Amino acid sequence: MAPKRALEVVDSKLREIMGTNIPGGAKIILCGGDFRQCAPIIENGTTEEIIGISVCCSPLWNHFTKFKLTKNVRALPNENEFKQFLVEVGEGTYGENPKEIEIPQECMSKGDIIDEIFGDVMENYDPATVMKRAILATWNEDVDGLNEQVVDLLDEETEVTYHAQDVYHYGDEILQSVGEIHQNYKTRNIKGLPSFNLRVRKNSIVMLIRNLSIEDGLCNGTRLVVTKLLKHNLVVKKINIDSTLSEEILIPRISLTAKHGVVDVTRHQFPVKLGFCMTINKSQGQTMDKVGVVLNHECFSHGQLYVAFSRVRSKEGLKVVTAEDKSTTANIVYKKLLELSKK
């Protein structure tokens, strides 16, 4: 998802530091990625614009030696059919109509997607098990609604709602954070900001939306389990590789700013969102045992369906909900981007 500008900035800085005009400052740069996954994001961008900012369209791309990883180590060893299915979805070659693919019948949800993914683990709650499950959707609106439903399955007596403080800027002018504008914004989930009213219960899974400490692994996208709800802090734990819980970590409130229309909103709130459900783009890099994919709104960008389906280790662990119970869904693949990446 990194745009070519990010690579070119690193290249420029390395050349400056090393006092040479050799690409990468004569240093070895190792990159990894899969061009079947989501492409860089340009808001309201055309297909050509998105392809044009990809790293494979940078002049630096020709200086790289390309190595291919051909073995799927996320999927279980015996899931050969599932592995082939994922490759064909990612390449845009699956089925008779690759742009509108037929979802395998065994992957279709039987009804309540929340019960199918989380129902059997909520009574005997084990954070490590819950963390290996998630529901994915294309729109933030769908994700927020699903997260609220999953939180309702936890112990109601432990619930705390944290209210944010907002300041609104229009140019250099600070708008009053009371009255109609405040009521309008606090009821909305603004892209890039936590909820104004953050409703959390003990054992909730939350996801960081900012880098807090890269050294400690507290990065944007890290999922954590809430163990205590204090007045001014959230106490959370990470799940270690061996499925044990880490030491307690304090998450403070911080001020975050995002543009919403013509207004800049600065919100003082915990930098987390509920993490039982997440957008498909946010799920990149995750490996799950069970994944529900809610396609009330179909995929709208390159690689989203491939990313959603490939988060899980087996076809048995994948359940899909479509709008109006359709058996097909859109699969958007930019063939030109895949061709350029192979050059």
Side-chain angles (χ1 to χ4, degrees):
M1 291 182 71
K4 66 180 182 182
R5 179 62 180 156
L7 185 62
E8 290 166 357
V9 166
V10 172
D11 170 68
S12 175
K13 181 54 66 177
L14 286 172
R15 293 189 195 207
E16 178 187 331
I17 291 170
M18 300 307 298
T20 179
N21 203 34
I22 299 173
K27 298 296 181 183
I28 295 173
I29 300 177
L30 179 64
C31 303
D34 181 357
F35 285 93
R36 298 187 192 105
Q37 296 195 35
C38 298
I41 295 173
I42 298 181
E43 200 163 330
N44 301 319
T46 64
T47 299
E48 289 301 320
E49 287 174 331
I50 292 170
I51 294 172
I53 66 163
S54 298
V55 290
C56 57
C57 290
S58 170
L60 294 169
W61 186 247
N62 294 327
H63 295 284
F64 280 93
T65 300
K66 287 85 175 180
F67 299 93
K68 292 183 179 179
L69 300 175
T70 57
K71 184 178 180 181
N72 186 333
V73 294
R74 174 178 280 115
L76 297 173
N78 61 339
E79 290 285 338
N80 294 323
E81 183 184 334
F82 183 52
K83 293 174 185 177
Q84 185 59 35
F85 165 72
L86 294 177
V87 170
E88 291 178 7
V89 169
E91 295 283 348
T93 59
Y94 179 75
E96 296 180 1
N97 182 7
K99 293 183 180 179
E100 185 76 20
I101 71 168
E102 187 83 21
I103 299 169
Q105 193 58 41
E106 61 267 37
C107 295
M108 294 295 292
S109 170
K110 300 297 188 292
D112 187 346
I113 190 68
I114 292 176
D115 184 62
E116 286 179 304
I117 302 303
F118 295 110
D120 61 332
V121 294
M122 284 301 186
E123 190 170 337
N124 298 313
Y125 197 91
D126 175 29
T129 302
V130 176
M131 199 78 81
K132 292 177 182 176
R133 304 180 180 204
I135 297 175
L136 311 180
T138 51
W139 285 23
N140 283 311
E141 177 184 312
D142 295 334
V143 168
D144 294 335
L146 288 162
N147 269 318
E148 291 294 324
Q149 293 178 56
V150 179
V151 166
D152 285 337
L153 301 177
L154 300 174
D155 184 4
E156 184 179 2
E157 294 182 2
T158 64
E159 181 175 310
V160 177
T161 300
Y162 295 98
H163 304 287
Q165 292 178 312
D166 282 359
V167 177
Y168 310 104
H169 299 262
Y170 179 72
D172 295 329
E173 181 183 357
I174 298 179
L175 305 176
Q176 295 297 320
S177 61
V178 294
E180 184 178 336
I181 185 171
H182 187 50
Q183 292 299 322
N184 185 27
Y185 278 87
K186 81 174 186 178
T187 57
R188 295 187 185 182
N189 287 324
I190 300 171
K191 187 169 67 174
L193 294 181
S195 300
F196 184 90
N197 298 312
L198 181 63
R199 187 169 71 94
V200 191
R201 294 182 182 180
K202 185 179 178 181
N203 289 324
S204 293
I205 303 298
V206 295
M207 175 182 285
L208 288 175
I209 61 171
R210 288 293 189 279
N211 292 334
L212 293 186
S213 174
I214 295 174
E215 296 81 4
D216 296 324
L218 299 177
C219 308
N220 188 354
T222 300
R223 296 168 83 209
L224 307 158
V225 58
V226 177
T227 56
K228 293 178 185 175
L229 300 160
L230 306 180
K231 185 175 182 181
H232 299 293
N233 291 282
L234 286 178
V235 181
V236 300
K237 291 185 178 182
K238 284 199 306 175
I239 305 295
N240 299 320
I241 295 175
D242 60 359
S243 297
T244 59
L245 293 172
S246 71
E247 296 293 320
E248 290 187 336
I249 301 164
L250 288 179
I251 304 291
R253 294 180 193 246
I254 62 175
S255 294
L256 306 164
T257 300
K259 182 171 284 293
H260 189 73
V262 297
V263 175
D264 290 324
V265 182
T266 298
R267 176 163 292 173
H268 193 68
Q269 180 62 289
F270 296 108
V272 300
K273 287 191 172 184
L274 290 169
F276 295 104
C277 315
M278 66 189 87
T279 60
I280 291 172
N281 288 44
K282 201 73 174 178
S283 73
Q284 289 193 132
Q286 306 271 359
T287 299
M288 312 284 186
D289 291 336
K290 274 192 175 184
V291 167
V293 181
V294 176
L295 297 174
N296 292 335
H297 301 95
E298 292 187 328
C299 295
F300 52 84
S301 185
H302 169 81
Q304 284 185 318
L305 197 66
Y306 169 74
V307 168
F309 288 178
S310 61
R311 294 310 90 202
V312 71
R313 297 170 61 81
S314 67
K315 185 179 282 190
E316 185 182 15
L318 177 65
K319 296 298 175 186
V320 183
V321 176
T322 56
E324 302 171 354
D325 294 325
K326 289 169 51 183
S327 62
T328 61
T329 189
N331 181 33
I332 299 174
V333 177
Y334 299 160
K335 295 288 185 68
K336 185 178 177 181
L337 177 59
L338 297 179
E339 291 168 4
L340 289 170
S341 69
K342 295 172 183 175
K343 290 184 178 179

